[in-house]
Amino acid sequence: MTSSPPPFRFTRAIVRQPAKSVTEGLRAHGGEGPSFEGVRREHAAYIAALRDAGVDVTVLPALEGFPDSIFVEDPALVFSEGAIVLKPGAPTRAGEAAAIAPALRAAFDSVLELSEGTVEGGDVLTAVDKVMIGLSARTSRAGAEALIRLLSELGRKGEIVETPKGILHFKSDCSLLAEETVLSTARLAASGVFEGYEILLTPEGEEGAANALRVNDVVFASASFPCTLELLDRSGFTVIPMQTREIALIDAGLSCMSLRWFA
Ligand code: CIR
């Protein structure tokens, strides 16, 4: 058991500027890509919102060779106790792990490295007493088991869960809103994975809103999903609506653009 502050209490974050190649970012269902200018605008607003929420943000330079490298959440995990360099399962993203490692070594005394299987941070939900690792097309069982061993070195307990079939990442479908409260799609909640939690379900047709982000006293949520904004507001959260139209074209939400921790 850790004595860390709640997993939504953050003082530091790392983000990475979008590369011009972000227009070629991975997208499971094909279709139109985002515009660079549009992504840049959404990303700049995201950095500003993190700073407004009291977070000291380190901005890494763009990596043209990695179109999805703006999504720094996927190649690493960070905790107050240390960082873990992961192994992204998407072949075009594998090199992002080595690219982010120097920034982690600069910020943390302890930096561990996953050496087996694959894990992307989008499949990892840090809760108060455990770290949930969703198996997916990007996160393998071997990777999840190796990650559990590394988490125990940091004093954290890992638990393997399932990402719903056809969903990119576990956290595409959920986010932690408070110590014992999650925002979840109905399809993920139906798996029973959040037993014991208070669950706010994303309204039908607004499944894309589930990847919200609690940062200190506020919740970032996508402006594209008005019923979810209203639900969060009614439930007592201070909501910061964020534009996500462009990043959603490459299957991204609000957690994936930062690595956040309490230092
Ligand atoms: C990908 O497919 O890897 C990117 N286009 C989107 C990654 C989003 N990451 C996340 O939700 N953690």
Side-chain angles (χ1 to χ4, degrees):
M1 185 71 80
T2 173
S3 58
S4 299
F8 45 81
R9 197 57 63 204
F10 304 120
T11 55
R12 301 276 314 271
I14 290 174
V15 305
R16 187 182 290 288
Q17 290 289 9
K20 295 216 169 65
S21 59
V22 72
T23 55
E24 308 303 324
L26 292 173
R27 39 198 187 269
H29 304 293
E32 175 198 4
S35 73
F36 170 68
E37 199 37 51
V39 173
R40 205 203 50 72
R41 209 171 34 245
E42 289 176 1
H43 192 250
Y46 181 85
I47 294 172
L50 283 172
R51 288 182 169 142
D52 283 351
V55 181
D56 179 4
V57 183
T58 299
V59 184
L60 304 179
L63 290 176
E64 281 304 329
F66 296 100
D68 287 294
S69 55
I70 178 180
F71 305 123
V72 288
E73 176 177 75
D74 293 321
L77 283 180
V78 294
F79 304 96
S80 301
E81 303 88 344
I84 301 177
V85 183
L86 299 174
K87 283 165 70 76
T92 58
R93 303 199 59 189
E96 291 177 31
I100 202 150
L104 299 176
R105 292 203 184 93
F108 293 90
D109 291 337
S110 173
V111 179
L112 307 177
E113 285 188 30
L114 191 78
S115 57
E116 286 167 57
T118 61
V119 176
E120 293 193 1
D123 279 316
V124 182
L125 181 73
T126 301
V128 173
D129 58 346
K130 62 186 171 189
V131 177
M132 296 183 189
I133 310 161
L135 302 179
S136 72
R138 302 284 183 90
T139 294
S140 66
R141 184 169 288 279
E145 286 171 354
L147 179 57
I148 287 176
R149 292 191 288 276
L150 295 179
L151 287 167
S152 74
E153 287 184 39
L154 296 178
R156 299 256 171 183
K157 178 171 152 263
E159 174 184 290
I160 295 180
V161 294
E162 293 280 341
T163 297
K165 294 281 168 270
I167 301 304
L168 175 59
H169 286 133
F170 185 69
K171 279 190 301 195
S172 305
D173 266 32
C174 65
S175 36
L176 190 78
L177 294 175
E179 277 93 338
E180 292 177 10
T181 308
V182 291
L183 177 65
S184 173
T185 61
R187 66 191 166 215
L188 177 56
S191 72
V193 70
F194 294 125
E195 204 184 311
Y197 285 83
E198 181 183 347
I199 305 172
L200 298 188
L201 290 179
T202 51
E204 208 181 328
E206 294 206 353
E207 287 74 15
N211 183 259
L213 181 63
R214 169 85 189 259
V215 180
N216 298 329
D217 298 332
V218 300
V219 176
F220 299 177
S222 171
S224 306
F225 301 106
C227 299
T228 306
L229 295 178
E230 198 192 314
L231 170 69
L232 291 169
D233 182 61
R234 251 191 294 121
S235 305
F237 294 100
T238 303
V239 183
I240 310 289
M242 306 288 300
Q243 296 299 329
T244 60
R245 199 197 92 87
E246 299 289 326
I247 59 162
L249 293 172
I250 42 175
D251 302 345
L254 290 165
S255 70
C256 36
M257 292 190 289
S258 59
L259 285 166
R260 308 154 297 273
W261 73 101
F262 183 92

